[in-house]
């Protein structure tokens, strides 16, 4: 079972590019190796819906993950944000959020799919809402977001 680690750092601002960067740590809590891991990353800043993270409209291949091994990935928002906009987004609940959709196989060929969502709160804490409540922007040709979880 692949899941998020509890030691998630808050998002930070990249002033050179005007992007929000948010790293998300994950591990294999299961007893067997996770194979052919793929994940899709989505991010929202402000009141909008989740959109594909910067330059990641397709699934990212994460390889294999043996039990108890920790990994990290970082996603970025589109460039052009100001420090003021970033600070304002951190001052409200759910102002910045990330959504990760992940799929992988076990050693027997069984496929697993799950999704994780993290959102900032005005007090600096990070909430972990049900991923189904983190609404993605619909892609052309897609009627509804993928049902995962």
């Amino acid at each position: 079972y692949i899941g998020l680690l509890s030691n998630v750092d808050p998002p930070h601002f990249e002033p050179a590019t005007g992007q929000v960067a948010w790293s998300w740590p994950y591990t294999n809590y299961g007893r067997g190796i996770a194979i052919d891991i793929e994940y899709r990353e989505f991010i929202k800043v402000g009141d909008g819906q989740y959109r594909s993270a910067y330059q990641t409209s397709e699934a990212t291949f994460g390889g294999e993950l043996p039990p108890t091994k920790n990994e990290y990935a970082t996603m970025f928002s589109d460039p052009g944000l100001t420090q003021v906009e970033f600070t304002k987004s951190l001052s409200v609940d759910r102002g910045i959020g990330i959504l990760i959709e992940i799929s992988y196989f076990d050693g027997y060929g069984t496929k697993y799919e799950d999704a994780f969502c993290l959102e900032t709160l005005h007090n600096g804490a990070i909430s972990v809402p049900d991923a189904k409540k983190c609404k993605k922007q619909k892609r052309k040709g897609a009627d509804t977001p993928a049902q995962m979880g």
Side-chain angles (χ1 to χ4, degrees):
Y1 170 72
I2 294 178
L4 294 175
L5 292 167
S6 61
N7 59 334
V8 177
D9 290 329
H12 66 275
F13 183 67
E14 296 285 338
T17 59
Q19 291 174 285
V20 174
W22 199 341
S23 296
W24 53 279
Y26 61 101
T27 192
N28 181 351
Y29 290 102
R31 290 185 249 168
I33 191 167
I35 302 169
D36 293 334
I37 300 168
E38 289 186 354
Y39 54 86
R40 290 183 51 100
E41 298 174 310
F42 303 88
I43 190 165
K44 78 170 200 81
V45 180
D47 294 336
Q49 294 178 321
Y50 286 85
R51 300 173 182 256
S52 292
Y54 186 63
Q55 297 185 335
T56 63
S57 61
E58 300 298 321
T60 300
F61 181 66
E64 299 179 349
L65 188 62
T68 71
K69 184 167 192 300
N70 298 341
E71 289 288 344
Y72 297 84
T74 302
M75 72 175 79
F76 296 87
S77 69
D78 288 337
L81 199 67
T82 67
Q83 178 72 51
V84 171
E85 292 167 321
F86 173 72
T87 302
K88 182 179 177 184
S89 294
L90 286 178
S91 70
V92 297
D93 287 345
R94 295 174 293 286
I96 300 175
I98 59 174
L99 172 64
I100 303 105
E101 296 177 340
I102 190 165
S103 67
Y104 53 94
F105 294 87
D106 66 15
Y108 299 102
T110 303
K111 186 174 184 176
Y112 296 86
E113 295 179 320
D114 210 344
F116 313 104
C117 187
L118 300 171
E119 295 179 325
T120 58
L121 298 176
H122 75 278
N123 63 2
I126 298 170
S127 70
V128 185
D130 182 343
K132 292 176 184 151
K133 294 181 180 179
C134 297
K135 302 288 185 199
K136 293 188 306 190
Q137 178 184 25
K138 291 183 181 178
R139 292 176 290 162
K140 288 184 179 181
D143 293 329
T144 59
Q147 294 297 313
M148 308 197 84

